[in-house]
Structures are given as structure tokens and as C-alpha cells.
């Protein structure tokens, strides 16, 4: 119980720092997600982070850090039912977290590893998230999803991300790559080899995490 209370306090402080409004139901679901991830990880090795104490900052808060930036872009475009695609989602990071915080978003978590999409399906059922969808397969082999934002937390180079996931972006939509340091070399290569451009690099401040994080927004040349 003490650990659960501590996790709840840490989550509340992180949400406040990130300007995210969490009601009791969303907070409970986020902590439930971490508990399920820790439990599944013992058997299925979904992530190298082994315990809930570390998962809070390195996974949950790291994923929450993009919630407000994504919402601000979608609000500007007045999308009625936003569609988000999380490529190389792994255990649902950040897709499952976004689905909890924004139940009005339809979130598709795509991964080529079946045990990881099985976990996402389990989470969607256990936490009653009808807006969370697990997609098992390789992104380049899928029919275009036409997502408003395609995001990746740990995919690959920006060139690979744009080449493989770009076809799933709806007209006027965006690619958003979660990175550590600003990847200027990757941006230069991207702009030399593709018609995608880095329109903005947004610094992310992750509560409790002493590491550099940024969100690289990519748009097709000629679009805003």
C-alpha cells in the first residue's frame, strides 16, 4: 500500500509539471498499466526496465511528456476524432499511455513482435480502453492508416521512420519522433534523401528523468 501511495503521489506531481489534467480514473489506469507491465515483464521480457519504481520515470513519465505537445497540435487542427499511430510501440509506449489520457483519440499501437501486441490487447481489455488498438505486423507491409499523427519512441533513424511510416500519415498530418539529443545529423540525412523536413524540434522535460529528450516534428515538403 505504501508503494502504491508513493506511486500515486509521484504521478500526480508529474502530471502537474506536464500540465496534464488527470482525474482519479485516468490516474488509476496509468498506475494499473505500470503494474501490468511489471507483471508481464517477469515472463515475457517486454522491456529492459524491470521494476515499477523505474518504469514510472523511464516509461510512464517519458510517454506523458508528449501528451500535451500532441494535444496542442491536434487542437489547432480541430480534428474531431484524432487518429494516432504509434510505430514500434513495444509495450505500448507512448500509445497506451496516450489512449488512457485522451479517450477521445483512437490510438493504434503497431509492433512486429507478437508478445508485445498481445500485451497491448490485454491492457485494452483489462483497463477498458476501447480506443486502444493493437496491430501486429511490420509497418511497411500495412495498408495506409491515414493517421493525424504517427509517433515513434524508439524506432530507428529519421530516414527509416519517414520512409516506412510516412505513407500512414493523412494529408496535412505529421510524423513525430521522440529522441534524446537533437539529432541534427539525422535531420540533415533525412532532408537530403526524402521529401520530409524537420519543421520543429520541441524540448521535452521529463519529470524525475535527468536526461535530454526532444520531440522532432516532421512534415512533407510544401506542407505546414
Amino acid at each position: 500500500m505504501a508503494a502504491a501511495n508513493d506511486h500515486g503521489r509521484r504521478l500526480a506531481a508529474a502530471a502537474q509539471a506536464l500540465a496534464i489534467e488527470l482525474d482519479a480514473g485516468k490516474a488509476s489506469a496509468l498506475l494499473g498499466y505500470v503494474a501490468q507491465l511489471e507483471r508481464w515483464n517477469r515472463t515475457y521480457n517486454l522491456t529492459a526496465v524491470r521494476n515499477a519504481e523505474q518504469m514510472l520515470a523511464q516509461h510512464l513519465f517519458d510517454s506523458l511528456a508528449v501528451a500535451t505537445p500532441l494535444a496542442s497540435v491536434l487542437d489547432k487542427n480541430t480534428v474531431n476524432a484524432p487518429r494516432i499511430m504509434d510505430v514500434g510501440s513495444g509495450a505500448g509506449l507512448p500509445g497506451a499511455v496516450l489512449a488512457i489520457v485522451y479517450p477521445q483519440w483512437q490510438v493504434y499501437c503497431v509492433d512486429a513482435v507478437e508478445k508485445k501486441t498481445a500485451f497491448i490487447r490485454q491492457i485494452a481489455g483489462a483497463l477498458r480502453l476501447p480506443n486502444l488498438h493493437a496491430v501486429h505486423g511490420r509497418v511497411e507491409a500495412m495498408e495506409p492508416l491515414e493517421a493525424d499523427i504517427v509517433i515513434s519512441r524508439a524506432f530507428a533513424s529519421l530516414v527509416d521512420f519517414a520512409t516506412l511510416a510516412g505513407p500512414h500519415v493523412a494529408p496535412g498530418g505529421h510524423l513525430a519522433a521522440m529522441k534524446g539529443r537533437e539529432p541534427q545529423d539525422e535531420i540533415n540525412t533525412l532532408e537530403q534523401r526524402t521529401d520530409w523536413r524537420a519543421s520543429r524540434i520541441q524540448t521535452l522535460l521529463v519529470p524525475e528523468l535527468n536526461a535530454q529528450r526532444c520531440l522532432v516534428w516532421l512534415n512533407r515538403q510544401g506542407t505546414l
Side-chain angles (χ1 to χ4, degrees), residues 189-202:
T189 303
L190 171 84
E191 297 184 349
Q192 290 168 4
R193 297 185 183 177
T194 76
D195 62 349
W196 289 86
R197 299 293 178 264
S199 59
R200 183 161 53 112
I201 301 176
Q202 194 167 4

Side-chain angles (χ1 to χ4, degrees), residues 145-196:
L145 187 66
E146 293 205 345
D148 299 292
I149 294 177
V150 177
I151 191 167
S152 171
R153 181 171 180 255
F155 191 68
S157 69
L158 292 180
V159 167
D160 288 344
F161 183 37
T163 301
L164 299 176
H168 295 280
V169 179
H174 310 267
L175 288 170
M178 297 172 69
K179 292 285 187 178
R181 296 177 181 274
E182 293 188 10
Q184 192 56 55
D185 288 345
E186 288 187 36
I187 291 171
N188 293 341
T189 303
L190 171 84
E191 297 184 349
Q192 290 168 4
R193 297 185 183 177
T194 76
D195 62 349
W196 289 86

Side-chain angles (χ1 to χ4, degrees), residues 3-78:
N5 289 339
D6 179 60
H7 292 174
R9 284 192 293 269
R10 289 171 62 190
L11 175 58
Q16 183 176 20
L18 295 169
I20 299 172
E21 292 186 13
L22 292 182
D23 58 27
K26 291 178 182 178
S28 177
L30 288 170
L31 294 176
Y33 166 80
V34 171
Q36 290 271 1
L37 179 56
E38 184 182 39
R39 188 174 303 116
W40 271 60
N41 210 36
R42 297 187 193 115
T43 303
Y44 296 103
N45 194 30
L46 300 176
T47 168
V49 181
R50 309 308 298 178
N51 63 71
E53 297 292 327
Q54 295 174 306
M55 287 176 182
L56 280 175
Q58 294 186 39
H59 288 333
L60 183 58
F61 300 166
D62 194 48
S63 294
L64 285 173
V66 301
T68 298
L70 265 60
S72 65
V73 168
L74 292 172
D75 287 345
K76 288 178 184 177
N77 294 336
T78 63

